[in-house]
Amino acid sequence: MSTILVLLGVLLLAAAATYVLRRDKKQGKSCCGGNCASCGACHRCAENAKSKQAGQIAC
């Protein structure tokens, strides 16, 4: 019985994390703070930094 409760708890936490991540992505929030010029952690951040340096508007 306790195994089932633990499993349900883990599934609930995973579902909550998925919900929060999807909601933040839809709202355009960045997990790295949005400072793409100094980030370099992901491909999208690198592209945003290059376009900002070139004077283009990033998505």
Side-chain angles (χ1 to χ4, degrees), residues 39-57:
C39 176
C42 65
H43 184 69
R44 191 176 92 200
C45 284
E47 287 178 356
N48 283 344
K50 286 180 186 178
S51 66
K52 285 181 183 178
Q53 289 174 352
Q56 300 172 353
I57 298 174

Side-chain angles (χ1 to χ4, degrees), residues 2 12 16 22-23 30:
S2 63
L12 182 64
R22 294 184 92 204
R23 183 192 64 196
S30 176

Side-chain angles (χ1 to χ4, degrees), residues 6-21:
V6 170
L7 178 62
L8 288 175
V10 169
L11 289 175
L12 182 64
L13 288 174
T18 302
Y19 171 76
V20 168
L21 290 172

